[in-house]
């Protein structure tokens, strides 16, 4: 039963299977320590068994020294594999030196003192030491991992082998058996334990694989949870679509962007379904995107990522559109097939709105620069045109006085005056557009001004047009020039009546007040209102006339642009409105659609308490036309001059203008009123006249805009010669800076040239009166 040769053959066969099994495991799972060493141990065991097999041939070296040493080396390799599996230091050099010591001892006991018992003791002691070392390692490992039954089983089989070795050691000297008698039993027992041990080692490898698999799955789950948490908390939206266009997953940012709740989709933007529902996405220009432009379809068609796509998503029934910068890329499976299409996007709605506001501001800036340039040009043209009109009106008045009412030419002179007055009104509009007219700011009740404007409009109201004036409660006053504000209301009302001429309709003026934080108040005006702690006053002019398209609406404030027939409009009405509103610190907005009418919204800052006090304390401003009701001095006429009573000295006026036509006209006008007039067209001649006789003149009236020296330069030079002389400057192009300079130079009044024909003599009469 225990034939040595048979047992050795069985052991060789079993070791061969073990070598193949553990070598395959070491190649398949290189990260697991142990199988490689166990394969080496079995291979050394095969070689050692072969050496023992050679005992029958009488070869002492191969049978005893080599065979026994190889079996010892196999035991060392088993221990190394166990330590490697447990993750303990290998200590290869220590074990190699121990094996060399055993090999040397076997050689000495074979070739020096030939004793079989000594060789048996060396072999047995070495194997027992190795077994004790492995048992110690297993005990520590089981203490660290008490719930691993495989380790407990390996420790138990190791204890059994140790007891078997001790029984073998005791049986030979104590019981009197020879080594050859107990060797077959020993080989049989260890052959069985080898089978059990190898099975347990294989179980250990399987356990390690399970542990590492569980750890890998746990790590994967943690990683997936981290990824889900990361994606869920991203500020960018992430949507994962299946190839059939159904939604697989979506993060919180995407839900917020689309207006979805955690429980479902927005009814206005439901989830896409495989039934063919598709969202109506908008391209960068605001037009619906074609199918081949959609990010999902581009990835589906090409299999390539689609990057930096700007798209708009309508998310509400009210037409709200949210904009996103989108990227899309395919997610392929292990077989290369498309699993998902992933869309990532960031919300750029605020950026898009800011860009829109920036474009609007740029357009406003360009419009403002164009208006400023045109205003400067208009002011310059108005200056020269004023001189021409003043000459025409003045000479027409003089000619009418000379000819009398019954003269046949009187009617023609009336027509000349009418045409000149129309030209003067055109100049007023140009100056209102360019904001060159001086303002007489007083606290104004817009409701009263609006009532007066409506009264004027009712006189020309067609019978099929309804005019309505409504108020939203008490409205605070504003600082304004009532005449110019009334002109704005009349102009807007007239335009509305023209838009409703064909079919009639309704014209409504609404007035109310808004808090500074109201969204309808522009940001710049709102800031002014907040600083002054006042509300904004709103006036709306609403009609249901023909309306305007967007192209016309953008151009309505351009000077000389009109949609009326030739000869029916100058194109200066609305530019004048814009100039007046902006000069009052207000804002204007226009909403219109063809066929539905137009709404003009005017917004002004309300007057503050400090403004009322300031306006009450301030006297008449330089440049503000004085009323025509001033008391004029009694000037002697020609009959009085011929009487015996001593003549009253005539006021002597020094008039300076570079336009000889106006010089001729003003001299005639003033001389006809009884003034003595000395007129010049040269600045140096006028200054020399004052230098020659500083007391000869009662008033210097000079034009402002002249080549070389301006009127203010002349005023400074003359006042340096005669500080008590009254000086006035006339101009049709008055600015705040000019008024400030005139006040600093000592000029008593700046006369607005537009009113020169009617009020020129009255202003001169008032200025030459002695100071009260």
């Amino acid at each position: 039963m225990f034939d040595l040769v048979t047992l050795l053959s069985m052991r060789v066969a079993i070791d061969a299977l073990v070598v193949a099994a553990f070598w395959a495991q070491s190649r398949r799972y290189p990260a697991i320590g142990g199988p490689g060493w166990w394969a080496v141990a079995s291979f050394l065991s095969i070689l050692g068994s072969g050496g023992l097999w050679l005992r029958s041939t009488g070869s002492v070296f191969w049978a005893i020294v080599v065979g026994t040493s190889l079996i010892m080396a196999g035991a060392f390799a088993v221990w190394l594999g166990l330590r490697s599996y447990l993750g303990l230091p290998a200590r290869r050099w220590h074990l190699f030196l121990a094996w060399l010591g055993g090999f040397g001892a076997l050689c000495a006991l074979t070739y020096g003192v030939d004793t079989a018992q000594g060789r048996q003791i060396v072999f047995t002691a070495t194997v027992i030491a190795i077994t004790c070392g492995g048992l110690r390692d297993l005990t520590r490992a089981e203490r660290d991992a008490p719930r691993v039954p495989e380790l407990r089983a390996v420790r138990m089989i190791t204890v059994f082998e140790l007891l078997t070795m001790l029984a073998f050691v005791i049986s030979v000297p104590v019981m009197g058996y020879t080594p050859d008698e107990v060797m077959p039993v020993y080989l049989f027992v260890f052959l069985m334990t080898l089978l059990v041990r190898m099975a347990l080692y294989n179980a250990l490898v399987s356990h390690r694989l399970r542990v590492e698999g569980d750890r890998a799955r746990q790590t994967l789950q943690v990683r997936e949870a981290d990824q889900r948490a990361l994606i869920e908390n991203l500020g960018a939206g992430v949507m994962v679509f299946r190839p059939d266009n159904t939604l697989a997953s979506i993060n919180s940012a995407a839900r917020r962007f689309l207006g979805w709740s955690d429980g479902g989709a927005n009814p206005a933007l439901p989830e896409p379904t495989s039934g063919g529902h598709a969202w109506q996405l908008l391209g960068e220009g605001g037009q619906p995107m074609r199918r081949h432009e959609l990010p999902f379809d581009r990835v589906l068609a090409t299999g390539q990522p689609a990057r930096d796509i700007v798209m708009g998503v309508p998310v509400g029934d009210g037409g709200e559109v949210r904009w996103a910068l989108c990227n899309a890329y395919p997610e392929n499976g292990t077989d290369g097939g498309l699993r998902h299409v992933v869309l990532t996007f960031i919300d750029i709605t605020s950026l898009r709105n800011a860009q829109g506001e920036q474009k609007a501001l740029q357009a406003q800036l360009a419009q403002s620069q164009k208006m400023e340039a045109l205003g400067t040009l208009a002011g310059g043209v108005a200056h020269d045109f004023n001189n021409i009109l003043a000459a025409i009106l003045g000479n027409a008045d003089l000619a009418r006085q000379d000819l009398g009412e019954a003269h046949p030419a009187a009617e023609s002179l009336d027509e000349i005056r009418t045409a000149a007055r129309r030209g003067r009104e055109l100049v007023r509009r140009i100056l209102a557009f360019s904001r060159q007219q001086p303002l007489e700011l007083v606290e104004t009740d817009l409701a009263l001004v609006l009532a007066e404007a409506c009264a004027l409009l009712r006189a020309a109201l067609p019978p099929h047009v309804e005019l309505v004036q409504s108020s939203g409660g008490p409205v605070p006053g504003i600082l304004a020039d009532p005449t110019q504000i009334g002109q704005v209301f009349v102009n807007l009302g007239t335009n509305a009546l023209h838009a409703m001429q064909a079919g009639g309709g309704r014209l409504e003026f609404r007035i109310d007040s808004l808090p500074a934080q109201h969204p309808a108040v522009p940001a710049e005006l709102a800031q002014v209102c907040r600083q002054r702690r006042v509300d904004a006053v709103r006036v709306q002019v609403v009609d249901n006339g023909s309306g305007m398209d967007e192209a016309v609406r953008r151009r309505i404030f351009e000077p000389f642009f009109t949609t009326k027939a030739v000869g029916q409009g100058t194109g200066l009405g609305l530019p004048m409105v814009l100039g007046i509103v902006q000069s009052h610190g207000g804002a204007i907005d226009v909403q219109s659609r063809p066929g539905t009418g137009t709404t003009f919204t005017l917004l002004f800052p309300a007057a503050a308490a400090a403004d009322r006090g300031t306006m009450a304390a301030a006297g008449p401003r330089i440049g503000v036309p004085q009323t025509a009701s001033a008391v004029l001095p009694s000037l002697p006429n020609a009959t009085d001059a011929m009487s015996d009573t001593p003549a009253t000295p005539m006021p002597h006026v020094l008039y300076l203008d570079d336009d000889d036509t106006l010089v001729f006209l003003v001299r005639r006008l003033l001389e006809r009123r009884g003034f003595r007039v000395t007129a010049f067209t040269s600045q140096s001649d006028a200054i020399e006249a004052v230098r020659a006789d500083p007391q000869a003149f009662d008033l210097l009236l000079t034009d402002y805009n002249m080549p070389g020296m301006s009127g203010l330069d002349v005023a400074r030079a003359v006042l340096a010669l005669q500080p008590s002389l009254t000086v006035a400057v006339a101009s049709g192009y008055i600015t705040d800076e000019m008024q400030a300079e005139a006040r600093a130079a000592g000029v008593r009044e700046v006369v607005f040239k537009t009113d020169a024909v009617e009020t020129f003599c009255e202003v001169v009469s008032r200025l030459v009166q002695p100071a009260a």
Side-chain angles (χ1 to χ4, degrees):
M1 176 179 178
F2 299 111
D3 179 66
L4 182 61
V5 176
T6 302
L7 293 174
L8 289 175
S9 300
M10 293 176 61
R11 183 177 181 89
V12 168
I14 293 173
D15 282 332
L17 293 175
V18 171
V19 169
F22 282 125
W23 183 253
Q25 284 186 346
S26 67
R27 297 293 301 273
R28 188 173 183 180
Y29 310 114
I32 300 178
W37 284 109
W38 295 330
V40 171
S42 296
F43 180 72
L44 293 175
S45 179
I46 292 172
L47 296 180
S49 298
L52 294 177
W53 211 342
L54 295 176
R55 290 183 64 183
S56 59
T57 63
S59 177
V60 177
F61 176 77
W62 289 105
I64 297 176
V65 178
V66 175
T68 304
S69 299
L70 290 175
I71 292 175
M72 290 170 52
F76 280 115
V78 171
W79 190 19
L80 281 173
L82 181 61
R83 293 183 66 85
S84 178
Y85 176 85
L86 297 176
L88 300 174
R91 297 179 180 176
R92 298 183 184 90
W93 287 106
H94 296 79
L95 298 179
F96 179 71
L97 293 176
W99 177 81
L100 284 180
F103 178 76
L106 289 175
C107 291
L109 294 173
T110 300
Y111 296 102
V113 179
D114 187 8
T115 169
Q117 188 175 4
R119 291 193 297 268
Q120 191 67 38
I121 292 173
V122 170
F123 173 78
T124 305
T126 302
V127 175
I128 289 175
I130 294 172
T131 304
C132 290
L135 184 60
R136 182 197 59 190
D137 295 338
L138 287 169
T139 302
R140 292 177 179 176
E142 189 178 359
R143 187 168 55 248
D144 296 336
R147 297 184 179 180
V148 181
E150 291 84 355
L151 286 176
R152 186 180 301 111
V154 172
R155 183 172 62 83
M156 292 174 63
I157 196 66
T158 304
V159 171
F160 177 77
E161 289 179 342
L162 179 61
L163 294 175
T164 303
M165 289 293 298
L166 293 175
F168 175 75
V169 172
I170 294 172
S171 64
V172 174
V174 174
M175 300 180 66
Y177 293 105
T178 63
D180 292 336
E181 291 175 339
V182 298
M183 181 63 69
V185 178
Y186 174 78
L187 285 177
F188 177 78
V189 173
F190 276 89
L191 181 61
M192 295 300 102
T193 58
L194 173 64
L195 291 174
V196 176
R197 181 180 290 276
M198 292 304 104
L200 292 176
Y201 282 171
N202 185 69
L204 285 176
V205 173
S206 300
H207 170 73
R208 179 62 59 82
L209 291 176
R210 289 196 306 272
V211 170
E212 292 187 354
D214 293 340
R215 187 180 296 116
R217 282 191 296 271
Q218 185 177 5
T219 303
L220 181 61
Q221 291 173 357
V222 171
R223 185 179 296 113
E224 289 177 350
D226 291 342
Q227 289 177 349
R228 285 194 299 270
L230 176 63
I231 293 174
E232 184 68 18
N233 294 297
L234 276 177
V238 179
M239 303 179 70
V240 181
F241 289 89
R242 302 181 186 92
D244 61 355
N245 201 19
T246 58
L247 188 61
S249 64
I250 180 172
N251 72 341
S252 296
R255 286 186 174 276
R256 289 193 300 270
F257 178 83
L258 299 174
W260 292 2
S261 64
D262 293 336
N266 183 347
L269 187 65
E271 294 185 8
T273 63
S274 57
H277 175 80
W279 293 339
Q280 185 64 58
L281 302 180
L282 304 179
E284 189 170 2
Q287 300 300 319
M289 298 178 73
R290 296 184 177 91
R291 179 163 188 149
H292 67 275
E293 297 174 335
L294 299 174
F296 175 86
D297 291 277
R298 287 176 59 176
V299 174
L300 205 62
T302 63
Q304 299 297 320
R307 296 184 175 90
D308 299 332
I309 301 173
V310 177
M311 64 180 187
V313 182
V315 295
D317 296 331
E320 180 186 0
V321 177
R322 295 182 184 174
W323 294 91
L325 180 64
C326 176
N327 294 295
Y329 63 90
E331 180 185 324
N332 298 322
T334 56
D335 58 352
L338 181 65
R339 294 181 61 246
H340 297 107
V341 175
V342 181
L343 266 66
T344 62
F345 56 88
I346 57 175
D347 188 353
I348 60 171
T349 303
S350 57
L351 176 61
R352 181 89 175 185
N353 293 338
Q355 289 176 343
E357 292 176 0
Q358 182 182 12
K359 290 181 180 179
L361 290 175
Q362 289 175 345
Q364 291 178 7
L365 177 60
Q367 180 75 4
S368 175
Q369 292 174 339
K370 181 168 62 175
M371 295 298 103
E372 182 180 0
L374 289 174
T376 303
L377 175 63
V381 172
H383 172 267
D384 294 334
F385 200 37
N386 272 334
N387 290 345
I388 297 172
L389 292 176
I392 294 174
L393 286 170
N395 283 289
D397 287 340
L398 292 175
R400 186 178 180 83
Q401 294 174 16
D402 292 339
L403 297 177
E405 295 289 340
H407 196 278
E411 184 177 358
S412 298
L413 290 174
D414 288 339
E415 291 298 322
I416 292 174
R417 291 180 61 193
T418 300
R421 289 178 184 276
R422 290 176 60 189
R424 187 186 64 181
E425 183 61 27
L426 180 61
V427 171
R428 285 181 181 272
R429 292 188 176 189
I430 293 175
L431 292 176
F433 153 71
S434 61
R435 287 178 268 173
Q436 303 297 339
Q437 293 192 90
L439 298 176
E440 186 174 3
L441 298 179
V442 295
E443 186 175 357
T444 303
D445 187 346
L446 284 185
L448 295 178
V449 178
L450 186 57
E452 294 177 1
C454 289
L456 292 175
L457 289 171
R458 282 192 177 91
L461 194 68
H464 52 277
V465 175
E466 178 185 7
L467 178 61
V468 179
Q469 180 182 354
S470 62
S471 176
V475 177
I478 68 169
L479 291 180
D481 187 324
T483 302
Q484 294 196 14
I485 294 296
Q487 191 174 6
V488 167
F489 294 157
V490 171
N491 193 293
L492 293 178
T494 303
N495 284 352
L497 293 178
H498 289 164
M500 296 186 294
Q501 277 183 353
R506 174 187 173 94
L507 171 60
E508 181 178 2
F509 287 86
R510 305 170 186 165
I511 183 170
D512 58 3
S513 62
L514 300 175
Q517 63 271 18
H518 194 280
V521 181
E524 186 175 351
L525 180 59
Q527 182 178 2
V528 173
C529 292
R530 284 193 295 268
Q531 291 174 349
R532 301 174 62 181
R533 298 181 180 179
V534 296
D535 293 338
V537 179
R538 177 174 65 176
V539 180
Q540 291 180 295
V541 184
V542 185
D543 69 74
N544 57 356
S546 58
M548 299 174 285
D549 58 27
E550 184 63 21
V552 173
R553 192 192 67 81
R554 285 197 299 264
R555 299 188 61 191
I556 57 175
F557 294 115
E558 292 184 10
F560 309 111
F561 172 78
T562 180
T563 58
K564 299 177 182 178
V566 177
Q568 295 185 9
T570 62
L572 285 173
L574 289 177
M576 178 200 69
V577 169
L578 177 65
I580 293 175
V581 171
Q582 292 183 345
S583 66
H584 285 76
I588 186 168
D589 177 69
V590 184
Q591 299 295 328
S592 182
R593 293 178 62 185
T596 61
T598 303
T599 299
F600 281 84
T601 302
L602 312 179
L603 290 160
F604 302 94
D611 297 327
R612 300 188 191 106
T614 302
M615 293 303 299
R621 291 174 30 173
I622 289 181
V624 176
Q626 305 298 320
T627 60
S629 60
V631 178
L632 302 180
S634 296
L635 296 179
N637 54 30
T639 305
D640 295 332
M642 294 169 54
S643 64
D644 295 335
T645 307
T648 302
M650 297 296 179
H652 194 179
V653 178
L654 176 61
Y655 182 70
L656 172 63
D657 199 309
D658 63 322
D659 190 331
D660 53 0
T661 303
L662 283 181
V663 169
F664 175 75
L665 171 64
V666 171
R667 177 188 287 118
R668 293 181 63 197
L669 285 173
L670 295 179
E671 287 179 346
R672 186 164 294 194
R673 296 294 295 268
F675 295 102
R676 291 180 296 156
V677 180
T678 300
F680 293 100
T681 58
S682 168
Q683 297 96 317
S684 58
D685 292 344
I687 295 172
E688 287 300 324
V690 175
R691 180 179 287 111
D693 189 358
Q695 304 296 330
F697 304 102
D698 300 289
L699 170 68
L700 168 62
L701 181 59
T702 175
D703 186 28
Y704 170 74
N705 190 11
M706 295 181 294
M709 296 179 67
S710 70
L712 293 181
D713 295 331
V714 174
R716 294 187 186 97
V718 168
L719 289 173
L721 299 173
Q722 176 57 285
S724 62
L725 180 62
T726 301
V727 179
V729 176
S731 177
Y733 186 81
I734 298 176
T735 63
D736 293 337
E737 292 80 4
M738 173 190 155
Q739 294 185 53
E741 291 181 11
R743 188 181 295 108
V747 174
R748 181 171 173 183
E749 186 167 334
V750 177
V751 182
F752 197 50
K753 243 183 179 181
T754 305
D755 297 324
V757 175
E758 288 82 1
T759 62
F760 212 75
C761 294
E762 288 79 357
V763 171
V764 171
S765 299
R766 174 167 44 79
L767 292 175
V768 297
Q769 293 184 74

